[in-house]
Amino acid sequence: MKKLLALVVVIALVASTFWAVAVAFDRTEDEPAPSPSDPSDSTSATAEPTDSSAPSPELESFYSQELDWEECEGDLECATLTVPLDYADAEGETIEVALLKVPARGDRQGSLVVNPGGPGAPGTDYAAAASRVFREPLLRAFDIIGFDPRGTGESAPIDCLTDEQLDAYLASDPNPDTAAEEEAYAEIVQEFGQGCAERSGDAVNHVSTIEAARDMDVLRAALGESTLTYLGASYGTKLGATYAELFPDKVGRLVLDGAVDVSLDNRQLGIEQAAGFETALRSYIQNCIDTAETCFLGDSVDEGLATIDELLVQIEADPLPADDDRELQIGNAFYGIVTPLYNRDYWFLLSAALRSALDGSGTALMELADIYASRGPEGYTDNSSEAIFAINCLDDPSSVGFDEVDDELVADFEEASPTFGSIFAWSLTGCSGSQGTTTEAPIEIRAEGAAPILVVGTTRDPATPLKWAEALAEQLETGVLLRRDGDGHTAYNSGNECIDTAIESYLLEGDVPADPTDC
């Protein structure tokens, strides 16, 4: 899930945060990447014969379309896929889905479709970062295919707020504790939902996960693949599982890394995700104590949590100055703290940012918050903070009323997470302003008859707790569980050779590990 969205609004499940941090803060020189194979090699695939047959006659023209790949960024190739805006009216309006391909570097085996999570993160950016995200065995064997799911990136993007409004939204207090703060909170949540409807029109009704999964099957056919080979991270696991339910006979090899329990309601998802971030924060503080002669946060985990809590109280009362004449407000500070928790390798960034904040500067925490929100010096680089709201609220419009966030509800969340619990409790109100209405009926995900699906979880994953992967593997008829013992969000290419070998052997050779396998 790259994003929890605004923790303020609604739960998000994103892997893309950590690779965005990697790209932005990589302090080492890049090694020259091997040149892609000749384009002629890419077309002489060893993949199975094409199956472009459509599930219904009115979709035939979409399934039989040919992609017009053109060089777009160096050795990368771009194209667009045409799909119906509304699959219930396939002969009506259409939209274009943006695609990006990283050609295979060696003997091409086929196409690997990838999704980084969110929902809302552009998959084209994920594929463009393939040399950092994926290891050489996959880069050599597969064309890495990223797509911006409908409503995101360059695929009929959802728009809800101006940049100035979005700045204010992300800076606002995610944990209102006075009547005035609650009124301001309710106003900004309502403004967000109304803005999506006013600025995006009918598109806001057609960005559901089910519709994005239908788009993936059109993409599979257009790529010339008889079955889908896919690696989805975080929310991308929900997208992949949805695909498997809708098209079980088209499931080839699916890796669902950082899995989401698709059976949970928003309340239970929120409680368990809050607990995950609490575990990650405690692990970060314990690591500080274990590795530093004197941890700047304190001599115990409880002292460290108290130091961070006191800092946040101070920032809420008196925002810190940041570069470019900006102020680090309480909402920004929460995102700045959450972002490095996605990946243990970037805990050093959190330490640097907290030290700086304790010394009176909000610049470093603001930089981390900006990465989380995809905000650059000139404004937002994608619409992920808006798309996540529209997609999540269309998938599940249920919402707690603002007056229902009472002491009992907050207490339940704070039992799971003393640090983040109340924020997640308030996030249950996030879809109160949503005005989208889907034409897709809800589905129960079992994927009966599908080929084996690899479901991956990490013991101390802050955003998608291990129990979610365990549950999804049970829910899928052919789910196979792979568990990583470690910190951070998602498991692949995180330094665990056992995990990486198992995933690569499955994708490349079809070797299905024992269920479960612990690494």
Side-chain angles (χ1 to χ4, degrees), residues 438-454:
T438 184
T439 56
E440 296 285 353
I443 59 174
E444 180 181 0
I445 294 177
R446 296 286 300 161
E448 295 178 0
I453 299 170
L454 193 57

PDB file of all heavy atoms in Angstrom, residues 438-454:
ATOM      1  N   THR A 438     -20.046   3.021  -8.225  1.00  0.00           N
ATOM      2  CA  THR A 438     -19.546   2.041  -9.184  1.00  0.00           C
ATOM      3  C   THR A 438     -20.674   1.247  -9.840  1.00  0.00           C
ATOM      4  O   THR A 438     -21.741   1.046  -9.241  1.00  0.00           O
ATOM      5  CB  THR A 438     -18.570   1.069  -8.508  1.00  0.00           C
ATOM      6  OG1 THR A 438     -18.028   0.173  -9.495  1.00  0.00           O
ATOM      7  CG2 THR A 438     -19.250   0.264  -7.422  1.00  0.00           C
ATOM      8  N   THR A 439     -20.423   0.802 -11.066  1.00  0.00           N
ATOM      9  CA  THR A 439     -21.367  -0.083 -11.755  1.00  0.00           C
ATOM     10  C   THR A 439     -20.995  -1.546 -11.552  1.00  0.00           C
ATOM     11  O   THR A 439     -21.677  -2.441 -12.044  1.00  0.00           O
ATOM     12  CB  THR A 439     -21.380   0.222 -13.266  1.00  0.00           C
ATOM     13  OG1 THR A 439     -20.052   0.100 -13.789  1.00  0.00           O
ATOM     14  CG2 THR A 439     -21.904   1.621 -13.538  1.00  0.00           C
ATOM     15  N   GLU A 440     -19.904  -1.802 -10.836  1.00  0.00           N
ATOM     16  CA  GLU A 440     -19.433  -3.168 -10.613  1.00  0.00           C
ATOM     17  C   GLU A 440     -20.006  -3.743  -9.316  1.00  0.00           C
ATOM     18  O   GLU A 440     -19.993  -3.084  -8.273  1.00  0.00           O
ATOM     19  CB  GLU A 440     -17.902  -3.203 -10.546  1.00  0.00           C
ATOM     20  CG  GLU A 440     -17.204  -2.801 -11.833  1.00  0.00           C
ATOM     21  CD  GLU A 440     -17.269  -3.897 -12.889  1.00  0.00           C
ATOM     22  OE1 GLU A 440     -17.737  -5.012 -12.580  1.00  0.00           O
ATOM     23  OE2 GLU A 440     -16.844  -3.636 -14.037  1.00  0.00           O
ATOM     24  N   ALA A 441     -20.496  -4.968  -9.387  1.00  0.00           N
ATOM     25  CA  ALA A 441     -21.011  -5.644  -8.194  1.00  0.00           C
ATOM     26  C   ALA A 441     -19.850  -6.193  -7.374  1.00  0.00           C
ATOM     27  O   ALA A 441     -18.821  -6.599  -7.925  1.00  0.00           O
ATOM     28  CB  ALA A 441     -21.941  -6.780  -8.594  1.00  0.00           C
ATOM     29  N   PRO A 442     -19.978  -6.233  -6.041  1.00  0.00           N
ATOM     30  CA  PRO A 442     -18.916  -6.791  -5.193  1.00  0.00           C
ATOM     31  C   PRO A 442     -18.679  -8.266  -5.527  1.00  0.00           C
ATOM     32  O   PRO A 442     -19.582  -8.971  -5.979  1.00  0.00           O
ATOM     33  CB  PRO A 442     -19.468  -6.631  -3.776  1.00  0.00           C
ATOM     34  CG  PRO A 442     -20.555  -5.599  -3.880  1.00  0.00           C
ATOM     35  CD  PRO A 442     -21.121  -5.736  -5.259  1.00  0.00           C
ATOM     36  N   ILE A 443     -17.449  -8.715  -5.299  1.00  0.00           N
ATOM     37  CA  ILE A 443     -17.117 -10.114  -5.541  1.00  0.00           C
ATOM     38  C   ILE A 443     -16.423 -10.691  -4.302  1.00  0.00           C
ATOM     39  O   ILE A 443     -15.808  -9.974  -3.524  1.00  0.00           O
ATOM     40  CB  ILE A 443     -16.185 -10.286  -6.764  1.00  0.00           C
ATOM     41  CG1 ILE A 443     -14.875  -9.506  -6.566  1.00  0.00           C
ATOM     42  CG2 ILE A 443     -16.883  -9.843  -8.032  1.00  0.00           C
ATOM     43  CD1 ILE A 443     -13.856  -9.750  -7.656  1.00  0.00           C
ATOM     44  N   GLU A 444     -16.564 -11.997  -4.122  1.00  0.00           N
ATOM     45  CA  GLU A 444     -15.794 -12.711  -3.099  1.00  0.00           C
ATOM     46  C   GLU A 444     -14.601 -13.347  -3.794  1.00  0.00           C
ATOM     47  O   GLU A 444     -14.750 -14.023  -4.820  1.00  0.00           O
ATOM     48  CB  GLU A 444     -16.640 -13.790  -2.429  1.00  0.00           C
ATOM     49  CG  GLU A 444     -15.870 -14.547  -1.353  1.00  0.00           C
ATOM     50  CD  GLU A 444     -16.710 -15.639  -0.687  1.00  0.00           C
ATOM     51  OE1 GLU A 444     -17.896 -15.781  -1.076  1.00  0.00           O
ATOM     52  OE2 GLU A 444     -16.179 -16.337   0.184  1.00  0.00           O
ATOM     53  N   ILE A 445     -13.429 -13.130  -3.245  1.00  0.00           N
ATOM     54  CA  ILE A 445     -12.212 -13.580  -3.912  1.00  0.00           C
ATOM     55  C   ILE A 445     -11.781 -14.949  -3.404  1.00  0.00           C
ATOM     56  O   ILE A 445     -11.424 -15.114  -2.233  1.00  0.00           O
ATOM     57  CB  ILE A 445     -11.086 -12.536  -3.730  1.00  0.00           C
ATOM     58  CG1 ILE A 445     -11.472 -11.245  -4.464  1.00  0.00           C
ATOM     59  CG2 ILE A 445      -9.751 -13.070  -4.241  1.00  0.00           C
ATOM     60  CD1 ILE A 445     -10.484 -10.114  -4.304  1.00  0.00           C
ATOM     61  N   ARG A 446     -11.847 -15.930  -4.310  1.00  0.00           N
ATOM     62  CA  ARG A 446     -11.391 -17.290  -4.033  1.00  0.00           C
ATOM     63  C   ARG A 446     -10.471 -17.801  -5.142  1.00  0.00           C
ATOM     64  O   ARG A 446      -9.624 -18.644  -4.915  1.00  0.00           O
ATOM     65  CB  ARG A 446     -12.595 -18.232  -3.919  1.00  0.00           C
ATOM     66  CG  ARG A 446     -13.535 -17.930  -2.762  1.00  0.00           C
ATOM     67  CD  ARG A 446     -12.941 -18.339  -1.433  1.00  0.00           C
ATOM     68  NE  ARG A 446     -12.661 -19.775  -1.408  1.00  0.00           N
ATOM     69  CZ  ARG A 446     -11.823 -20.353  -0.542  1.00  0.00           C
ATOM     70  NH1 ARG A 446     -11.176 -19.618   0.344  1.00  0.00           N
ATOM     71  NH2 ARG A 446     -11.630 -21.653  -0.570  1.00  0.00           N
ATOM     72  N   ALA A 447     -10.652 -17.312  -6.353  1.00  0.00           N
ATOM     73  CA  ALA A 447      -9.850 -17.699  -7.519  1.00  0.00           C
ATOM     74  C   ALA A 447      -9.864 -19.211  -7.729  1.00  0.00           C
ATOM     75  O   ALA A 447      -8.815 -19.839  -7.925  1.00  0.00           O
ATOM     76  CB  ALA A 447      -8.420 -17.186  -7.384  1.00  0.00           C
ATOM     77  N   GLU A 448     -11.044 -19.804  -7.707  1.00  0.00           N
ATOM     78  CA  GLU A 448     -11.171 -21.249  -7.866  1.00  0.00           C
ATOM     79  C   GLU A 448     -10.732 -21.667  -9.267  1.00  0.00           C
ATOM     80  O   GLU A 448     -11.148 -21.083 -10.261  1.00  0.00           O
ATOM     81  CB  GLU A 448     -12.613 -21.677  -7.606  1.00  0.00           C
ATOM     82  CG  GLU A 448     -13.052 -21.435  -6.171  1.00  0.00           C
ATOM     83  CD  GLU A 448     -14.507 -21.817  -5.932  1.00  0.00           C
ATOM     84  OE1 GLU A 448     -15.155 -22.278  -6.894  1.00  0.00           O
ATOM     85  OE2 GLU A 448     -14.983 -21.637  -4.794  1.00  0.00           O
ATOM     86  N   GLY A 449      -9.883 -22.665  -9.334  1.00  0.00           N
ATOM     87  CA  GLY A 449      -9.406 -23.183 -10.602  1.00  0.00           C
ATOM     88  C   GLY A 449      -8.160 -22.508 -11.140  1.00  0.00           C
ATOM     89  O   GLY A 449      -7.657 -22.893 -12.201  1.00  0.00           O
ATOM     90  N   ALA A 450      -7.641 -21.511 -10.430  1.00  0.00           N
ATOM     91  CA  ALA A 450      -6.439 -20.820 -10.892  1.00  0.00           C
ATOM     92  C   ALA A 450      -5.195 -21.669 -10.650  1.00  0.00           C
ATOM     93  O   ALA A 450      -5.177 -22.566  -9.802  1.00  0.00           O
ATOM     94  CB  ALA A 450      -6.284 -19.479 -10.175  1.00  0.00           C
ATOM     95  N   ALA A 451      -4.142 -21.400 -11.419  1.00  0.00           N
ATOM     96  CA  ALA A 451      -2.839 -22.014 -11.160  1.00  0.00           C
ATOM     97  C   ALA A 451      -2.310 -21.520  -9.818  1.00  0.00           C
ATOM     98  O   ALA A 451      -2.812 -20.533  -9.266  1.00  0.00           O
ATOM     99  CB  ALA A 451      -1.867 -21.641 -12.285  1.00  0.00           C
ATOM    100  N   PRO A 452      -1.297 -22.198  -9.239  1.00  0.00           N
ATOM    101  CA  PRO A 452      -0.764 -21.766  -7.936  1.00  0.00           C
ATOM    102  C   PRO A 452      -0.360 -20.293  -7.937  1.00  0.00           C
ATOM    103  O   PRO A 452       0.294 -19.813  -8.867  1.00  0.00           O
ATOM    104  CB  PRO A 452       0.438 -22.678  -7.731  1.00  0.00           C
ATOM    105  CG  PRO A 452       0.103 -23.911  -8.511  1.00  0.00           C
ATOM    106  CD  PRO A 452      -0.638 -23.418  -9.716  1.00  0.00           C
ATOM    107  N   ILE A 453      -0.752 -19.588  -6.884  1.00  0.00           N
ATOM    108  CA  ILE A 453      -0.469 -18.161  -6.723  1.00  0.00           C
ATOM    109  C   ILE A 453       0.425 -17.986  -5.503  1.00  0.00           C
ATOM    110  O   ILE A 453       0.091 -18.452  -4.410  1.00  0.00           O
ATOM    111  CB  ILE A 453      -1.772 -17.364  -6.553  1.00  0.00           C
ATOM    112  CG1 ILE A 453      -2.659 -17.512  -7.799  1.00  0.00           C
ATOM    113  CG2 ILE A 453      -1.486 -15.893  -6.270  1.00  0.00           C
ATOM    114  CD1 ILE A 453      -4.058 -16.950  -7.624  1.00  0.00           C
ATOM    115  N   LEU A 454       1.554 -17.289  -5.658  1.00  0.00           N
ATOM    116  CA  LEU A 454       2.521 -17.118  -4.576  1.00  0.00           C
ATOM    117  C   LEU A 454       2.173 -15.867  -3.780  1.00  0.00           C
ATOM    118  O   LEU A 454       2.177 -14.749  -4.311  1.00  0.00           O
ATOM    119  CB  LEU A 454       3.934 -17.014  -5.145  1.00  0.00           C
ATOM    120  CG  LEU A 454       5.096 -17.138  -4.154  1.00  0.00           C
ATOM    121  CD1 LEU A 454       5.029 -18.454  -3.391  1.00  0.00           C
ATOM    122  CD2 LEU A 454       6.433 -17.030  -4.891  1.00  0.00           C
TER     123      LEU A 454
END
